[in-house]
Amino acid sequence: MRAIFFLLIFLSQNIFAQESDSLIIRKFFNEELSKGKSYSMLDHLSNKIGGRLSGSPQAAQAVEWGKKTMEFLGFDKVWLQEVMVPHWVRGEKEQAKIISGKEKTEVRICALGNSVGTQKNGITATIIEVKNFKELEKLGRKNIEGKIVFFNRALDPTFITTGAAYGKGVDQRGGGASEAAKYGAVGVVVRSMTLAMDDHPHTGAMIYKDSVAKIPACAISTIGATKLSDAIKLNADTKFYFRQTCEMLPDEKSFNVIGEILGSEFPEEIIVVGGHLDSWDNGDGASDDGTGIVQSIEALRLFKVLGIRPRRTIRAVLFMNEESGVRGGDKYAELAKNNNEKHIAAIESDGGGFTPRSFGVDNEKAISKMQPWVELLKQYGISEIKKSWGGGGTDINPLKKEGTTLIGYHCDSQRYFDYHHSEIDTFDKVNKRELELGTGCIAAMIWLISEYGL
Amino acid sequence: MRAIFFLLIFLSQNIFAQESDSLIIRKFFNEELSKGKSYSMLDHLSNKIGGRLSGSPQAAQAVEWGKKTMEFLGFDKVWLQEVMVPHWVRGEKEQAKIISGKEKTEVRICALGNSVGTQKNGITATIIEVKNFKELEKLGRKNIEGKIVFFNRALDPTFITTGAAYGKGVDQRGGGASEAAKYGAVGVVVRSMTLAMDDHPHTGAMIYKDSVAKIPACAISTIGATKLSDAIKLNADTKFYFRQTCEMLPDEKSFNVIGEILGSEFPEEIIVVGGHLDSWDNGDGASDDGTGIVQSIEALRLFKVLGIRPRRTIRAVLFMNEESGVRGGDKYAELAKNNNEKHIAAIESDGGGFTPRSFGVDNEKAISKMQPWVELLKQYGISEIKKSWGGGGTDINPLKKEGTTLIGYHCDSQRYFDYHHSEIDTFDKVNKRELELGTGCIAAMIWLISEYGL
């Protein structure tokens, strides 16, 4: 009898808690969907500042904007964290041609991030197509030396989550140049990392190995890749010409931008929400990762404007340099450790501002604590809180060694890689309501962690 | 012991069934995502044929295209069902101005479907703003007679499903003209039924009551509505001018287009999947409802191309005249009854080709039978099979009185009303993979019903 009595009390407490959580969460969404600032902030970041390569004047403007915005919103504390970042510049518009006998066909390329340039007049060489590093190894130096290598393994469209398809293809972009250089290649052309068939080349980071020559690397649009592959099939002596004047300059001083609202009961327990302030330069960086930036700021603004004081400290972090080095993420984790800060959870939004789907969490204990929350978030589009492959996000992953629970906000993935790292990653691709629903879900997740801990 | 033995057999059969269903469903998705035809069919319907008002030459072309397409795909039987449809034409480009004293401001409008035109030179009258029919009643004839009534109740952005917001607002468009005419209004202007703030007016059906005068009705863009409301606030004598030459012509002969694959075991049990072939004329009708049309045809093509013979008969129905009379839907149900056909289920896709979310079903018995299927469909985006408000879809609802289970395919709703019935309901708004995932989910649902009945 007594057991039943306590069970009833326990159940009713839980039910009341769920009800009041549900009302708080509804307030976040009502405010955001009717008077939200996510979209107008994104408009400014995308259209007034634009592409924000690490070390660029635009990245500096974005830092300034982020700081002023959070100060204007009246967060309890706003500050900058200095960090030195790589400073790569694209240079002049890239050029490329397929040369088959006397026929020359222009194709659209862009330099990969961190790549060296070609000679001033570009390079021309016979081009050879491979699908992966194994094929390269099989072909060996005798077939590759002096040639340009064309990595043309398409992303697999049968993956339902596009990030999984990307994950299986991106080795070509990241490591292709150094792999090819091992066998004496003079340049690499990589099929754009997108599932769409169009004429927009997609840039993204590549990394040189120290042990081999640094050869220039570019991405070709998927339409260009198809043309190039067809040309090689027709004529094995097909040549490729490309010219790019990109270069790596000395490191630049930059900043993470941080704003926080102090917790009322456990101010020493910190919940981070963040995205990255830098972007590639060819588009305006709206989806990668302007959306994560404005959702992070806006989630805190919702607490502020609704007069909801969190029990734990909540902190919006605008990380610098995710795209080409993660220096901001590393610096943040380093300082968190040095300052003995206790980060109980970090949430990252870096998959675009599309319609909400799920949260991915890096540890089973937290996942199991969060399961009742799915019922609260379901009506807003969150159908699961589940184990996440690859942690919560590139910027927050360095916090893992301090035992922080890492959480990725996962919105719908179908459109993301259509725009990602390309000239069509622009403001008009983001839907106002989808962005706002994401902000609401993130604010709700912060609220629940702040109330109940992990 | 024996009970446990049978339980084990039962469980293992169920597990094997789920496994083999899961493989079949995976085949649908693999085929569709790598070699699907949904997108190229939609390209043709949207860009080669375009907007398809009932009774228009484009609607006739779409009928021809639908029949030829399904014949080419080798369905077991393809046929037309004759149906007389309303034939409303828009006429010349509509014009409108806000007139405040000497100041004239052009605004963007479009005639509502079924509306009469204005006089040849347009009409000009004092305009009065209301939010709903109650306000109209309160104002009464003395305040309304001789004026134009402006219905300006915005859709409520705090609804999470946009269809719910639309449902709460659309009385203004559908019945506003006759309500205003009761009090002697000479015209109505209705705020566009969209949650977006932009300059695209959204058309859609309105219906006249027989008992009152037929006065011209148009939709104004949400930006225009804001300007107009501001002008009225500043000057209560603000006038409005609009001109539209739309008119209702005599009914035209048209057709539903039907293709079917016969069931191997229960050919007399029919599962319908459909969308509507007609559309409004200002855009190209890609999202409303080109997507439903191509998903319906493609779902059957997947069975055909994969050599999967359904146990029950499956039928793609391209309904005519959903937008302005539902004559095709009514005719289909009438003939189904006259021919003693047994329709066990009907699925409609008429919410765009966005990323999959759920199926809505009109009866609890079917919902409960379908619950184990959620597990099979979850990885493809279907997080729920649940009770649906408003049946499965306008075209299939007339089948309800025959006891057919009605099922709506529900994709993500956030973007739909941004485009719906406007000039920006165009092909480029549809994402290839989102469309294909929808096709896969619909094919999977047909497969499961065909295998297990309802």
Side-chain angles (χ1 to χ4, degrees):
Chain A
M1 191 61 196
R2 200 168 195 188
I4 289 174
F5 177 72
F6 282 113
L7 182 68
L8 283 175
I9 288 183
F10 174 76
L11 282 175
S12 65
Q13 277 174 339
N14 259 348
I15 287 162
F16 288 132
Q18 287 273 87
E19 270 179 6
S20 96
D21 291 335
S22 143
L23 289 177
I24 295 279
I25 291 169
R26 186 71 238 189
K27 277 187 190 176
F28 287 138
F29 281 92
N30 282 354
E31 172 69 22
E32 182 61 14
L33 289 167
S34 55
K35 288 175 272 174
K37 303 292 181 207
S38 303
Y39 197 62
S40 58
M41 283 197 282
L42 185 65
D43 186 7
H44 186 97
L45 189 57
S46 309
N47 290 321
K48 294 283 193 292
I49 298 176
R52 307 169 289 283
L53 262 184
S54 286
S56 68
Q58 291 85 349
Q61 283 170 42
V63 165
E64 185 71 15
W65 166 84
K67 182 164 177 283
K68 283 199 172 151
T69 298
M70 293 197 283
E71 283 169 350
F72 173 79
L73 294 173
F75 295 169
D76 293 339
K77 195 178 158 199
V78 177
W79 71 101
L80 300 180
Q81 261 179 1
E82 190 179 313
V83 56
M84 294 302 290
V85 296
H87 186 199
W88 179 82
V89 292
R90 183 171 299 281
E92 295 165 37
K93 186 86 190 153
E94 301 87 339
Q95 294 173 355
K97 282 175 197 157
I98 302 169
I99 305 163
S100 182
K102 282 177 185 168
E103 206 178 323
K104 293 181 181 180
T105 310
E106 280 194 28
V107 282
R108 299 207 61 205
I109 63 156
C110 64
L112 290 182
N114 303 336
S115 174
V116 297
T118 57
Q119 294 101 309
K120 205 179 157 191
N121 296 321
I123 54 170
T124 305
T126 302
I127 189 156
I128 184 165
E129 177 177 337
V130 299
K131 294 279 190 280
N132 52 50
F133 298 168
K134 267 205 177 145
E135 267 186 42
L136 206 61
E137 197 186 341
K138 231 184 239 174
L139 285 165
R141 180 168 283 269
K142 71 177 187 298
N143 290 301
I144 291 169
E145 188 153 40
K147 290 182 184 157
I148 295 170
V149 170
F150 170 35
F151 288 98
N152 191 31
R153 188 169 86 254
L155 299 192
D156 182 347
T158 66
F159 281 101
I160 306 302
T161 304
T162 58
Y166 178 75
K168 292 278 183 187
V170 74
D171 61 320
Q172 304 170 90
R173 188 193 79 201
S178 284
E179 284 302 309
K182 281 187 197 167
Y183 307 101
V186 294
V188 302
V189 180
V190 182
R191 181 189 179 95
S192 283
M193 295 292 127
T194 178
L195 288 148
M197 182 55 66
D198 62 28
D199 212 11
H200 309 293
H202 294 234
T203 192
M206 54 83 62
I207 297 167
Y208 289 117
K209 284 191 176 155
D210 284 337
S211 50
V212 286
K214 293 184 177 184
I215 61 173
C218 69
I220 187 169
S221 73
T222 46
I223 284 179
T226 308
K227 282 184 191 166
L228 179 53
S229 184
D230 288 350
I232 295 169
K233 279 185 197 89
L234 281 171
N235 173 13
D237 290 331
T238 295
K239 290 182 168 48
F240 195 77
Y241 159 81
F242 74 112
R243 178 180 188 273
Q244 55 192 30
T245 64
C246 48
E247 58 181 323
M248 188 64 86
L249 303 177
D251 283 1
E252 273 284 335
K253 186 163 84 174
S254 188
F255 304 92
N256 294 326
V257 189
I258 304 169
E260 81 176 14
I261 296 175
L262 273 174
S264 58
E265 286 185 48
F266 310 107
E268 74 291 354
E269 294 190 18
I270 298 163
I271 302 161
V272 158
V273 56
H276 62 87
L277 200 48
D278 66 306
S279 77
W280 290 104
D281 56 321
N282 32 9
D284 65 30
S287 287
D288 187 15
D289 179 28
T291 48
I293 289 297
V294 302
Q295 286 175 329
S296 300
I297 300 173
E298 180 73 353
L300 265 66
R301 190 191 73 86
L302 289 178
F303 279 81
K304 187 86 193 160
V305 75
L306 294 169
I308 297 169
R309 173 62 68 177
R311 297 173 75 194
R312 291 167 169 86
T313 292
I314 62 179
R315 204 180 258 187
V317 183
L318 321 185
F319 292 96
M320 183 49 72
N321 184 231
E322 190 265 357
E323 294 293 3
S324 54
V326 204
R327 300 267 187 96
D330 286 335
K331 175 62 74 176
Y332 185 86
E334 178 194 323
L335 292 177
K337 191 183 175 183
N338 293 351
N339 299 332
N340 277 318
E341 287 178 346
K342 184 177 175 190
H343 283 73
I344 64 163
I347 305 170
E348 182 153 357
S349 167
D350 185 19
F354 305 101
T355 200
R357 283 292 196 178
S358 65
F359 283 100
V361 181
D362 77 336
N363 73 81
E364 295 293 352
K365 198 183 140 209
I367 292 171
S368 130
K369 168 131 195 184
M370 290 174 175
Q371 281 320 296
W373 303 353
V374 176
E375 207 43 53
L376 289 165
L377 298 176
K378 214 164 116 180
Q379 63 170 306
Y380 306 107
I382 296 296
S383 58
E384 289 178 293
I385 297 177
K386 61 180 177 186
K387 191 80 160 61
S388 155
W389 48 270
T394 307
D395 298 294
I396 59 174
N397 283 353
L399 287 168
K400 190 169 181 68
K401 46 187 181 301
E402 306 309 314
T404 306
T405 290
L406 305 179
I407 304 166
Y409 164 65
H410 295 167
C411 62
D412 197 82
S413 75
Q414 299 309 320
R415 293 173 185 242
Y416 186 60
F417 290 99
D418 292 0
Y419 315 137
H420 184 249
H421 297 184
S422 84
E423 63 202 353
I424 59 167
D425 177 2
T426 47
F427 177 68
D428 56 302
K429 306 305 184 302
V430 179
N431 177 276
K432 182 172 181 285
R433 287 179 56 87
E434 291 180 359
L435 177 68
E436 290 169 348
L437 288 173
T439 302
C441 290
I442 290 168
M445 176 55 87
I446 296 172
W447 160 258
L448 291 165
I449 299 173
S450 162
E451 277 296 286
Y452 302 108
L454 277 181
Chain B
M1 188 63 194
R2 202 169 193 187
I4 288 173
F5 177 72
F6 281 113
L7 181 71
L8 283 175
I9 288 184
F10 174 77
L11 283 176
S12 66
Q13 277 174 338
N14 260 347
I15 288 161
F16 288 131
Q18 286 273 86
E19 269 179 8
S20 97
D21 290 335
S22 142
L23 289 176
I24 295 279
I25 291 169
R26 186 72 238 187
K27 277 188 190 176
F28 287 137
F29 281 92
N30 283 353
E31 173 68 24
E32 183 61 15
L33 289 167
S34 56
K35 288 175 273 176
K37 303 292 181 205
S38 303
Y39 196 62
S40 58
M41 284 197 282
L42 185 66
D43 187 7
H44 187 96
L45 188 58
S46 309
N47 291 321
K48 294 284 193 291
I49 298 177
R52 306 169 289 282
L53 263 185
S54 287
S56 70
Q58 291 85 349
Q61 283 170 42
V63 166
E64 185 72 15
W65 167 85
K67 183 163 176 283
K68 283 199 171 149
T69 298
M70 293 198 281
E71 283 168 350
F72 173 80
L73 293 173
F75 294 170
D76 294 338
K77 197 177 155 197
V78 177
W79 71 102
L80 300 179
Q81 261 179 2
E82 190 179 314
V83 56
M84 295 303 289
V85 296
H87 186 197
W88 178 81
V89 291
R90 182 169 301 279
E92 295 164 37
K93 187 85 189 154
E94 301 88 340
Q95 293 172 356
K97 281 175 199 158
I98 302 169
I99 305 163
S100 183
K102 281 178 184 167
E103 207 178 324
K104 293 182 183 183
T105 310
E106 279 195 30
V107 282
R108 298 206 62 205
I109 63 156
C110 64
L112 290 182
N114 303 336
S115 173
V116 297
T118 57
Q119 293 102 309
K120 206 179 156 189
N121 296 323
I123 53 172
T124 305
T126 302
I127 189 156
I128 183 164
E129 176 176 337
V130 299
K131 292 280 190 283
N132 52 49
F133 297 168
K134 268 205 176 146
E135 268 187 41
L136 205 59
E137 199 187 339
K138 232 185 239 174
L139 285 166
R141 181 168 283 269
K142 71 178 189 296
N143 290 302
I144 292 170
E145 189 155 38
K147 290 182 185 160
I148 295 171
V149 170
F150 170 35
F151 288 98
N152 191 31
R153 188 169 85 254
L155 299 192
D156 182 347
T158 66
F159 281 101
I160 305 304
T161 304
T162 58
Y166 178 75
K168 292 277 183 189
V170 74
D171 61 319
Q172 305 170 89
R173 188 193 79 203
S178 284
E179 284 302 311
K182 279 187 196 167
Y183 307 101
V186 295
V188 302
V189 181
V190 182
R191 182 190 178 94
S192 283
M193 295 291 127
T194 178
L195 287 148
M197 183 54 66
D198 62 27
D199 212 12
H200 308 292
H202 294 234
T203 191
M206 53 83 60
I207 296 167
Y208 288 118
K209 283 192 177 154
D210 284 337
S211 50
V212 287
K214 294 184 175 183
I215 61 172
C218 70
I220 188 168
S221 73
T222 46
I223 284 180
T226 308
K227 282 184 191 167
L228 180 52
S229 184
D230 288 349
I232 295 169
K233 277 185 199 90
L234 281 172
N235 172 12
D237 290 331
T238 295
K239 290 183 169 45
F240 196 76
Y241 157 82
F242 74 113
R243 178 180 187 272
Q244 55 192 33
T245 63
C246 49
E247 57 180 324
M248 188 64 86
L249 303 176
D251 284 2
E252 273 285 334
K253 187 163 85 175
S254 188
F255 304 92
N256 294 326
V257 189
I258 305 169
E260 81 175 14
I261 296 175
L262 273 174
S264 59
E265 286 184 50
F266 309 106
E268 74 291 353
E269 293 190 18
I270 299 163
I271 302 161
V272 159
V273 56
H276 63 86
L277 200 48
D278 65 306
S279 78
W280 290 104
D281 55 321
N282 31 9
D284 65 29
S287 287
D288 186 16
D289 179 31
T291 47
I293 289 297
V294 303
Q295 286 175 328
S296 300
I297 299 173
E298 181 72 353
L300 265 67
R301 190 190 75 85
L302 289 178
F303 279 81
K304 187 85 194 161
V305 74
L306 294 169
I308 297 169
R309 172 62 69 176
R311 296 172 78 195
R312 291 167 169 85
T313 292
I314 62 178
R315 205 182 257 186
V317 183
L318 322 184
F319 292 96
M320 182 51 71
N321 185 231
E322 190 265 358
E323 294 293 2
S324 54
V326 204
R327 301 267 187 96
D330 287 334
K331 174 62 75 177
Y332 184 84
E334 178 194 324
L335 291 176
K337 191 183 175 183
N338 293 351
N339 299 332
N340 276 318
E341 287 178 346
K342 185 178 174 189
H343 283 72
I344 64 163
I347 305 169
E348 182 153 356
S349 167
D350 186 18
F354 305 100
T355 200
R357 282 293 195 177
S358 66
F359 282 101
V361 181
D362 76 337
N363 72 81
E364 295 293 353
K365 199 183 138 208
I367 291 170
S368 137
K369 170 132 194 182
M370 290 172 174
Q371 282 319 297
W373 304 352
V374 175
E375 208 43 53
L376 289 165
L377 298 176
K378 213 164 118 180
Q379 64 171 304
Y380 305 107
I382 297 296
S383 59
E384 289 179 292
I385 297 178
K386 60 179 178 186
K387 191 78 159 59
S388 154
W389 48 271
T394 308
D395 297 294
I396 59 175
N397 283 353
L399 286 167
K400 189 169 183 68
K401 47 186 181 301
E402 306 309 314
T404 306
T405 290
L406 304 180
I407 304 166
Y409 164 66
H410 295 167
C411 61
D412 196 83
S413 76
Q414 298 310 320
R415 293 173 185 242
Y416 186 61
F417 290 98
D418 291 0
Y419 315 138
H420 184 248
H421 297 184
S422 85
E423 64 204 352
I424 60 166
D425 177 2
T426 48
F427 178 68
D428 56 301
K429 305 306 183 303
V430 179
N431 178 276
K432 182 171 181 284
R433 287 179 57 87
E434 291 181 359
L435 177 68
E436 290 169 348
L437 288 173
T439 302
C441 290
I442 290 168
M445 176 54 85
I446 297 171
W447 160 258
L448 291 165
I449 300 174
S450 162
E451 277 296 285
Y452 301 108
L454 277 181

